[in-house]
Amino acid sequence: MSEQANSGETTKTSNPARSAILYVLLGLMVVALIYDYRVARPAVSADYDKVAEASMEANRVANDFLTNTEVRELLGKEPTETFDDGPETVEVYHYTGGLIIKPHKLYTVYRKSGDELMFSRHSKFAYDESQSVGPTESVIITAEDSASEDAIYDSEEGGGTPAASSGDSGSGPQSSSAGSDSGSSGSAGGGDSGSSTPPGAEPPDLSALEAEADEAEAKDE
């Protein structure tokens, strides 16, 4: 009986201690979570915005760019690790998070420019590999595509389809030439009807006709 009573008392005394330990751990987790979302993450986002603004300021000046040394001075810290991603160099900055064993990270990516590293892009919390943000495949435009685009553009400017515009341009010279032919034939016909001289005959001598008229007037007088 005495042994059972002693074991019961030991269980009662150990249960409050265990509960206290669990409450302490739960409180620490809540504090770590608050620190992570209220302090750690905003710190990473603030430094991310600082680098973005500094890059924009540097790009406003001709032949100027943001270097990795300037980024270090701007953030006031050195990168924790560095690695290469193809032609790019990546510097990683660590920020203590709610979980000490899992820090938050800020990635700054650079490309070689002479003897310096030129800032190219950056990311926070997760790294974007160069293949995922690289340029898309180039599109080759052939001569046929260019000609068809020019025809469509000309048709839109002229207010008609490419076939209609080509037909109109072809009929224009024909109608004008037909009009010129009819005009020339009309003028030729008018000249033939107004002239008393038959085709191929020589015109009369006007001086001889005037002399004969003068002689006739002299005889009448």
Side-chain angles (χ1 to χ4, degrees):
M1 294 293 293
S2 61
E3 292 179 358
Q4 293 179 355
N6 292 333
S7 62
E9 291 178 358
T10 304
T11 304
K12 291 180 181 179
T13 55
S14 62
N15 286 338
R18 185 181 300 174
S19 299
I21 294 173
L22 292 176
Y23 284 127
V24 170
L25 292 177
L26 181 60
L28 291 175
M29 292 178 63
V30 172
V31 172
L33 187 63
I34 294 174
Y35 175 83
D36 191 78
Y37 282 92
R38 294 292 183 89
V39 179
R41 287 178 175 269
V44 179
S45 298
D47 285 351
Y48 179 90
D49 294 338
K50 287 181 182 179
V51 176
E53 293 176 0
S55 177
M56 292 177 62
E57 290 293 334
N59 291 334
R60 291 191 180 99
V61 181
N63 300 326
D64 190 16
F65 55 85
L66 187 65
T67 64
N68 63 326
T69 304
E70 295 173 340
V71 172
R72 295 177 183 181
E73 295 176 355
L74 179 65
L75 300 180
K77 59 193 308 183
E78 294 292 324
T80 307
E81 57 179 309
T82 303
F83 64 91
D84 294 332
D85 184 10
E88 298 177 331
T89 301
V90 184
E91 294 183 349
V92 187
Y93 296 87
H94 285 194
Y95 296 79
T96 304
L99 297 176
I100 300 176
I101 60 175
K102 188 178 181 182
H104 297 301
K105 298 179 181 181
L106 175 65
Y107 302 87
T108 54
V109 186
Y110 307 90
R111 288 183 176 271
K112 193 72 174 178
S113 178
D115 296 333
E116 297 179 315
L117 291 177
M118 177 181 64
F119 175 78
S120 175
R121 55 188 175 86
H122 63 330
S123 59
K124 56 184 177 180
F125 305 122
Y127 175 65
D128 297 328
E129 296 182 358
S130 61
Q131 295 180 354
S132 61
V133 296
T136 57
E137 297 181 357
S138 59
V139 178
I140 302 175
I141 300 176
T142 61
E144 295 179 356
D145 296 336
S146 178
S148 61
E149 290 179 358
D150 293 340
I152 294 173
Y153 177 78
D154 294 338
S155 65
E156 291 177 353
E157 291 293 327
T161 60
S165 61
S166 61
D168 294 340
S169 61
S171 61
Q174 294 176 358
S175 60
S176 60
S177 61
S180 61
D181 293 340
S182 61
S184 60
S185 61
S187 60
D192 294 340
S193 60
S195 177
S196 59
T197 305
E202 295 181 359
D205 189 359
L206 298 179
S207 59
L209 294 175
E210 291 178 356
E212 292 178 357
D214 293 338
E215 291 178 0
E217 290 177 359
K219 290 179 179 180
D220 294 337
E221 293 177 355

